[in-house]
Amino acid sequence: MKWIILGGVVGILSGTASAIFLKSLDAVTEVRLNHAWLLYLLPLGGALVSYLYMRYGKNSGKGNNLILEQIQQGNETIPLRMAPLVLFGTLVTHLFGGSAGREGTAVQMGGSLAEAFGRLIRINSLDRQILLMCGISGGFGSIFGTPLAGTLFGLEVIAIGLISHKALLPCFTASFVGDIVATRLWNVHHIHYQVDVFPALSMIVLLKVILASVLFGLASIAFSELTHYLKRAFTRLVKNPMLKSALGGFIIIALVYIAGTRNYLGLGIPLIQDSFQTDVAPFAFLWKLIFTSFTLGTGFQGGEVTPLFAIGATLGNSLAGFLHLYAPFLASLGFIAVFCGATNTPIACFLMGIELFGSGGAVYMFIACLVSYLFSGHSGIYTSQQIGISKSEWVRIPEGTTLGTVKQLRQAGKKRL
């Protein structure tokens, strides 16, 4: 009863915050589409958001990683100001044309609101960890309309290979209530994609799905590694965060002219829809990957997940002709598998596939998530994600190692060599 109540409160807070964010996001996206000249203000918008984070953000700039660290028995406070800052920052990014997502915003809002609620009722340290996991689940489930995936995402994302069943009921309550609040109370409508035909189970189709899933996993590595590299490189080259984001804005404008289209700006939902309805450009997935990596790598606010959906769906669509498979079917697998490889959350992604596309292709979805998860290695978009259990018995990783620490160990090993 305790956790049904606490998880429910977090769900109400997260669902309400997600509803406000989604309605605001639709509004600013419509404004951007109707006023093409706003793209040229992207450098100014990025500099403004970076200034606000410098002036008022404190440790909010860590984003999702801050929440993961506190669940892993960190001793920092998650400031309530994180919620309005990331909300405003993400809306500015989308208003002026940055390529970013929405999951990061929802998770950060959910986590900061859960932290504030925990301080209000003076919760103990162990319960605080569970409450923060509820914030992740509530934010994720309500932003995508996938309460089951939201539940498992809050459990899986903390540590690779480990799930805390103690938080199962609280996270489900927060995710379920958050989704109900957003959709029923605030009348938010989520986009669901239609896959009419799933191929019959056969060895040749399984082999093709496995091959495609290996590529999905490699695509997730490319996105994660490029984004982290750009963050490090731009931070090293441009010390002032405002100038760094302004430079990033000019780079995005240049990329628009190089690509010859604005299709890769924003969330990428039109790209996803096209992947299920028609053929997309063969390298659309690569363009979206580059646009998003430069947007996030130069300090703009926003999530990674919806662009990952777009990267995966367009890659699946592009592979369909080569593998002689139904394009919407392969797009649906890419949709969840690239996301899975980048977040190391195979069960959550599998459940998301069922919630969005139905259970007709459940076996294929599970295989796609499993293969992508394995082939993505110890890489991912969250550097503070712990490695609870190594993905391979041939790779020994010390207890408490995070994805960010793995990169440091690799770099140290290369220097010694």
Side-chain angles (χ1 to χ4, degrees), residues 84 114 120 210 240 290 314 331:
L120 180 65
I210 291 172
N240 188 306
I290 292 171
T314 50

Side-chain angles (χ1 to χ4, degrees), residues 350-372:
F350 167 63
L351 290 175
M352 170 171 273
I354 291 178
E355 288 182 296
L356 293 179
F357 308 119
S359 60
V363 172
Y364 295 120
M365 292 177 193
F366 190 81
I367 291 172
C369 290
L370 177 61
V371 172
S372 178

